[in-house]
């Protein structure tokens, strides 16, 4: 009893808010007669951050295989781009005619550009256009691909059209043929079975008779998308994200949210409804957003993987790096005029209705029309991203914040405290959050491994009476094992402080290796395959082994007795759903370390347990060529071995076992 008292006093000194969250008997977390002080951990601690950066959406998670499918690429996306970027005019069988891009009679004014073919002579193979996909189209032998196209027959007679999956040397991997059935825009669709495996196919669409026709919205999807969803996601990438078992997913970014100038702010309403009617736009990362992966698809994906949705909306101001992103010549933060704020705020309220409103409400009806009458159970909404803390920002944030709170007190708002772990925006952001009592604020760290090791105690002394924390973006500047281990060490501190650190997400999540505009990332991919980095495995090991109760003083390192070693870190959590105890032991240093594990408070059931260890050379890293340089290995150990456990040099060990708490 005396010891417990001493320990509690010590913890109160170390963690000033500890008394609010800890319980000696553990009633708040359902642990009966547990003799240690415990701390409740947020239910949503480990999640993922998704941003359409480095071709993460178009050319990545969004399963569309046709690049620039609606001819909306332009020089404003990227210098040199135009409506025919990634397309070639095809007259291979000695046909001839003309091709033009027109805008006078589009399918929808939101999708203004389309191609007109005026074919004088179709030759032997027809005249048309060929799409090169995203670095080629990946086909899997025997699998079905859903092709669709809008055609406006401009000449009198019905026109025969062929859609062919082709190789560079003229190989044909599958064909779909149809005839137009009258004037005006009509959608034609069919499936094509691939006859070969390849990662460099192209899609050719040709008309095979003298004719005039307009083409738009040319699409090809693998039939096997993630969970076979329509307008769905690339199955392997989506599965890799699902395998993390994230508790939440933030979308659609980062800087993409507040955009490059006010006209580039991400507007969720532009991203729902039939894909051919959505309003596309330039991506702040210098490419194009088809918004085929829009808010409906984000919500649906969150539901499919059991992650709570965390949409982030700009605070009515653009990125402070606007106008030459990240370069000299930036025009800085720009704001929506106050005259537009009322309708901007209404859009945010409408988003909440879109996600949660009944199917007969105005916006709930749009969700239902898309195929989801039931609500998406939105609980969080982020306002702002790393914004410069100016009066311009603050005034708009406050207007949004107060309007959302007044109409939807059930929604938890996440504010922002700048791009760095300290500095002017951080301080001003926290002061502002204090003034408004913002429930949660978003901190970002792109720092060195050393910083992550040295900041293991960052949150121990944070006030428990201020805003909760969402670490919305963090990464230790590399994908080597040592980076991943420094992140793991830091993550043990997030569990220890899981009472005030409500959420955390590594960033960014995905990068196409051929179009990478930010490093490091959690998952790298090309059009064929993907690689899970060492950092990915750390995220996964923590997320699938999250607990709801933190139990202090279970693990101690022998070396720490001499002097505190920042390369060593550990945590002990309990998952009350399974009753399991989970230990995480990080050794980010070059020598093995002995950990003493005090099991006396935990009545362990069973003798043999399986631990997972991520270890190797600190400079090892996974790549597409070497995807398994660093992967978790299972080891069977005896529970008695835990009395004195040797943590190998450069390792993360996760040990999970059933226990009855005494
Ligand atoms: O994660 C990449 C970028 O880093 C995000 O878009 C931005 O919020 C941060 O600066």
């Amino acid at each position: 009893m005396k010891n417990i008292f001493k320990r509690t006093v010590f913890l109160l000194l170390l963690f000033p808010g500890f008394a609010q969250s800890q319980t000696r008997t553990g009633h708040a977390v359902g642990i009966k007669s547990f003799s240690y002080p415990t701390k409740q951990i947020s239910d949503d601690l480990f999640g993922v951050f998704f941003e359409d950066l480095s071709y993460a959406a178009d050319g990545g998670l969004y399963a569309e295989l046709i690049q620039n499918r609606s001819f909306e690429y332009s020089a404003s996306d990227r210098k040199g781009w135009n409506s025919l970027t990634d397309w070639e005019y095809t007259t291979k069988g000695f046909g001839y005619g003309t091709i033009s891009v027109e805008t006078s009679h589009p399918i929808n004014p939101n999708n203004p550009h389309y191609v007109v073919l005026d074919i004088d002579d179709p030759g032997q193979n027809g005249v048309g256009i060929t799409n090169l996909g995203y670095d080629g189209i990946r086909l899997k032998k025997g699998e079905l691909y859903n092709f669709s196209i809008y055609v406006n027959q401009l000449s009198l007679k019905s026109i025969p059209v062929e859609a062919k999956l082709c190789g560079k040397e003229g190989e044909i991997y599958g064909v779909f043929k149809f005839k137009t059935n009258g004037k005006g825009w009509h959608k034609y669709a069919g499936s094509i079975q691939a006859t070969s495996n390849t990662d460099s196919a192209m899609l050719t669409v040709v008309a095979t008779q003298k004719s005039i026709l307009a083409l738009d919205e040319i699409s090809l999807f693998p039939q096997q998308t993630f969970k076979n969803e329509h307008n769905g996601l690339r199955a392997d990438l989506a599965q890799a994200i699902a395998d993390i078992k994230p508790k939440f997913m933030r979308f659609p970014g980062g800087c993409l949210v507040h955009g490059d100038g006010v006209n580039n702010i991400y507007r969720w309403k532009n991203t729902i409804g039939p894909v051919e009617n959505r309003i596309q736009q330039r991506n702040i990362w210098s490419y194009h957003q088809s918004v085929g992966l829009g808010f409906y698809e984000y919500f649906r994906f969150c539901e499919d993987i059991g992650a709570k949705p965390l949409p982030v909306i700009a605070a009515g101001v653009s990125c402070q790096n606007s106008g030459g992103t990240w370069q000299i010549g930036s025009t800085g933060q720009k704001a929506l005029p106050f005259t537009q704020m009322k309708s901007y705020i209404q859009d945010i309220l409408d988003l909440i209705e879109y996600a949660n409103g009944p199917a007969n409400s105005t916006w709930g009806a749009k969700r239902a029309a898309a195929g989801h009458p039931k609500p998406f159970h939105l609980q969080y909404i982020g306002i702002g991203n790393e914004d410069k803390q100016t009066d311009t920002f603050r005034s708009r944030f406050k207007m949004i914040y107060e309007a959302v709170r007044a109409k939807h007190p059930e929604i938890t708002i996440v504010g922002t405290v700048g791009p760095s772990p300290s500095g002017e925006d951080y301080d001003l952001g926290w002061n502002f959050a204090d003034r408004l009592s913002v429930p949660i604020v978003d901190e970002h760290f792109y720092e060195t491994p050393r910083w992550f090791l040295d900041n293991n105690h960052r949150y121990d002394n944070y006030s428990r009476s201020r805003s909760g924390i969402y670490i919305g973006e963090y990464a230790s500047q590399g994908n080597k094992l040592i980076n991943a281990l420094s992140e793991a060490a830091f993550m043990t501190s997030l569990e220890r402080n899981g009472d005030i650190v409500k959420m955390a997400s590594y960033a960014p999540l995905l990068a196409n290796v051929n179009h990478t505009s930010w490093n490091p990332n959690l998952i790298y991919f090309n059009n064929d395959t993907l690689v899970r980095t060492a950092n990915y495995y750390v995220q996964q090991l923590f997320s699938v082994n999250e607990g709801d109760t933190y139990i202090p003083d279970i693990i101690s390192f022998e070396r720490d007795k001499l002097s505190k070693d920042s390369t060593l870190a550990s945590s002990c959590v309990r998952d009350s759903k399974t009753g399991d105890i989970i230990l995480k032991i990080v050794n980010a240093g070059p020598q093995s370390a002995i950990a003493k594990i005090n099991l006396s408070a935990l009545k362990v059931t069973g003798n043999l347990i399986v631990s997972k260890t991520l270890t190797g050379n600190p400079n090892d890293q996974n790549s597409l060529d070497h995807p398994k340089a660093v992967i978790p290995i299972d080891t069977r150990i005896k529970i008695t071995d835990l009395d004195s456990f040797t943590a190998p040099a450069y390792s993360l060990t996760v040990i999970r076992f059933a226990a009855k708490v005494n």
Side-chain angles (χ1 to χ4, degrees):
M1 189 64 197
K2 210 170 152 200
N3 281 344
I4 292 170
F5 176 71
K6 263 196 204 154
R7 186 169 16 241
T8 307
V9 170
F10 170 70
L11 284 164
L12 279 168
L13 288 173
L14 200 63
F15 313 129
F18 198 75
Q20 293 151 24
S21 56
Q22 61 95 16
T23 161
R24 277 171 53 189
T25 54
H27 290 305
V29 291
I31 301 177
K32 295 266 170 14
S33 61
F34 184 56
S35 57
Y36 277 78
T38 61
K39 211 191 299 188
Q40 200 151 4
I41 297 175
S42 160
D43 288 342
D44 301 323
L45 188 54
F46 296 126
V48 291
F49 160 100
F50 180 89
E51 175 163 13
D52 186 6
L53 157 66
S54 305
Y55 282 38
D58 292 310
L61 184 61
Y62 185 47
E64 175 62 81
L65 294 166
I66 303 303
Q67 183 166 190
N68 191 14
R69 68 179 172 195
S70 47
F71 308 104
E72 297 304 324
Y73 276 23
S74 79
S76 70
D77 296 320
R78 183 176 294 180
K79 203 173 162 200
W81 278 13
N82 59 49
S83 291
L84 290 177
T85 293
D86 213 49
W87 290 97
E88 286 173 356
Y89 183 42
T90 303
T91 56
K92 275 202 178 131
F94 304 105
Y96 63 90
T98 59
I99 180 171
S100 56
V101 175
E102 303 198 3
T103 54
S104 54
H105 295 96
I107 305 172
N108 185 292
N110 292 343
N111 180 4
H113 300 89
Y114 56 91
V115 157
V116 172
L117 297 172
D118 185 341
I119 303 170
D120 281 324
D121 180 347
Q124 288 162 9
N125 297 330
V127 168
I129 50 177
T130 293
N131 190 269
L132 312 175
Y134 292 95
D135 312 310
I137 295 173
R138 170 78 172 112
L139 298 177
K140 289 187 187 153
K141 188 176 174 181
E143 289 198 2
L144 291 166
Y145 292 82
N146 291 338
F147 167 80
S148 65
I149 187 170
Y150 279 80
V151 182
N152 185 354
Q153 176 196 310
L154 298 171
S155 45
L156 276 179
K157 283 198 280 178
S158 169
I159 305 165
V161 179
E162 293 180 7
K164 297 185 265 198
L165 296 172
C166 317
K168 284 190 194 122
E169 308 302 327
E171 310 91 316
I172 304 288
Y173 302 124
V175 184
F176 169 67
K177 296 182 183 181
F178 63 95
K179 284 188 150 195
T180 60
N181 60 13
K183 294 202 164 201
W185 287 107
H186 293 283
K187 185 174 181 178
Y188 303 88
S191 64
I192 309 176
Q193 187 165 36
T195 56
S196 274
N197 284 315
T198 174
D199 60 5
S200 55
M202 300 174 284
L203 175 80
T204 294
V205 178
V206 289
T208 55
Q209 86 183 15
K210 179 177 163 57
S211 54
I212 308 175
L213 68 166
L215 312 175
D216 204 357
E217 204 67 22
I218 302 176
S219 172
L220 185 76
F221 270 79
Q223 219 164 68
Q224 287 180 18
T225 56
F226 183 66
K227 305 246 181 215
N228 297 320
E229 298 279 19
H230 164 73
N231 192 41
L233 306 184
R234 192 175 129 173
D236 61 340
L237 289 175
Q239 189 59 53
I241 299 169
D243 289 346
I244 297 174
K245 293 207 183 352
K247 307 301 172 299
F248 67 89
M249 177 164 122
R250 168 178 169 168
F251 59 86
C255 285
L256 178 117
V257 169
H258 53 181
D260 193 2
V262 281
N263 294 328
N264 193 240
I265 286 176
Y266 192 97
R267 302 293 193 125
W268 76 270
K269 284 185 178 173
N270 293 348
T271 75
I272 59 165
V275 288
E276 63 276 11
N277 298 348
R278 296 182 185 180
I279 300 178
Q280 305 176 37
Q281 74 168 347
R282 180 166 66 92
N283 187 316
I284 191 171
W285 300 103
S286 297
Y287 60 103
H288 187 85
Q289 299 176 72
S290 76
V291 296
L293 171 50
F295 262 44
Y296 178 74
E297 291 75 22
Y298 282 123
F299 279 123
R300 189 181 62 186
F301 181 51
C302 288
E303 184 177 73
D304 281 345
I305 63 174
K308 290 183 184 171
L310 170 52
V312 180
I313 306 290
V317 295
S318 73
C319 180
Q320 52 268 29
N321 301 306
S322 291
T325 316
W326 317 111
Q327 292 153 21
I328 298 162
S330 159
T331 55
Q333 184 184 70
K334 295 284 173 200
L336 289 172
F338 283 116
T339 49
Q340 288 178 27
M341 282 305 289
K342 193 167 173 227
S343 77
Y344 186 74
I345 290 170
Q346 189 57 48
D347 282 356
I348 300 173
L349 300 176
D350 291 344
L351 171 62
I352 298 168
E353 184 174 290
Y354 181 76
N356 291 353
N360 61 3
S361 61
T362 309
W363 288 93
K366 294 185 195 299
R367 181 193 72 236
H372 202 287
K374 290 195 183 140
F376 281 122
H377 306 294
L378 179 67
Q379 181 183 329
Y380 298 107
I381 197 161
I383 306 292
N385 172 66
E386 301 193 338
D387 298 287
K388 186 145 193 58
Q389 301 284 320
T390 59
D391 285 341
T392 308
F393 160 78
R394 278 189 287 264
S395 51
R396 285 161 182 79
F397 180 96
K398 188 164 180 278
M399 289 169 82
I400 300 169
Y401 178 73
E402 284 172 352
V404 173
R405 281 214 329 167
K407 182 124 197 243
H408 292 286
E410 76 284 6
I411 296 288
T412 302
I413 297 175
V414 181
T416 175
V417 293
S420 313
S422 57
E424 190 181 54
D425 288 322
Y426 173 86
D427 293 338
L428 291 172
W430 266 102
N431 289 342
F432 184 51
D434 284 344
R435 287 212 308 269
L436 295 191
S437 300
V438 176
I440 299 180
V441 295
D442 177 13
E443 298 194 344
H444 291 182
F445 324 132
Y446 293 101
E447 302 290 336
T448 60
R450 173 44 58 201
W451 185 93
F452 281 92
L453 297 177
D454 288 347
N455 277 269
N456 194 282
H457 295 280
R458 178 183 175 91
Y459 292 111
D460 294 351
N461 296 317
Y462 262 46
S463 162
R464 267 55 186 170
S465 56
R466 295 173 84 187
S467 308
I469 294 125
Y470 166 40
I471 306 169
E473 301 182 23
Y474 69 98
S476 70
Q477 303 178 348
N479 290 117
K480 293 178 177 168
L481 176 63
I482 191 66
N483 297 95
L485 294 177
S486 71
E487 290 153 13
F490 188 70
M491 288 169 83
T492 63
S493 81
L494 306 187
E495 293 184 315
R496 187 171 66 245
N497 290 285
D499 56 332
I500 49 154
V501 179
K502 306 289 179 191
M503 310 162 101
S505 47
Y506 181 98
L509 181 60
L510 294 177
N512 184 320
V513 287
N514 297 315
H515 304 277
T516 303
S517 37
W518 185 284
N519 278 304
N521 301 277
L522 208 59
I523 300 168
Y524 287 88
F525 63 92
N526 59 18
N527 70 358
D528 179 32
T529 188
L530 65 87
V531 66
R532 299 166 197 229
T533 59
N535 320 65
Y536 171 97
Y537 288 116
V538 164
Q539 291 296 318
Q540 186 188 38
L541 285 169
F542 273 75
S543 186
V544 303
N545 290 298
E546 209 174 294
D548 46 39
T549 312
Y550 184 80
I551 309 173
D553 296 343
I554 299 292
I555 305 169
S556 57
F557 293 101
E558 287 288 279
R559 243 186 4 241
D560 277 348
K561 285 187 190 148
L562 303 172
S563 69
K564 180 82 193 111
D565 182 342
S566 64
T567 62
L568 300 175
S570 65
S571 68
C572 173
V573 300
R574 180 174 189 264
D575 174 19
S576 62
K577 280 187 223 89
T578 58
D580 288 356
I581 295 288
I582 305 145
L583 312 175
K584 302 184 184 87
I585 302 172
V586 183
N587 180 1
Q591 278 117 34
S592 62
I594 296 182
K596 296 280 179 200
I597 301 172
N598 175 7
L599 293 173
S600 60
L602 316 167
K603 203 169 171 190
V604 182
T605 52
N607 187 23
L608 271 180
I609 51 179
V610 175
S611 70
K612 291 198 177 286
T613 309
L614 192 69
T615 188
N617 182 306
N619 293 318
D620 282 349
Q621 79 184 77
N622 298 339
S623 65
L624 287 179
D625 298 335
H626 299 286
K628 294 190 174 167
V630 192
I631 56 167
I633 305 290
D634 285 358
T635 315
R636 291 179 82 78
I637 51 176
K638 287 201 209 105
I639 203 75
T640 43
D641 294 344
L642 296 184
D643 291 343
S644 179
F645 176 80
T646 303
Y650 300 117
S651 67
L652 160 66
T653 307
V654 179
I655 302 168
R656 185 172 188 131
F657 50 87
K660 285 183 191 149
V661 177
N662 60 21

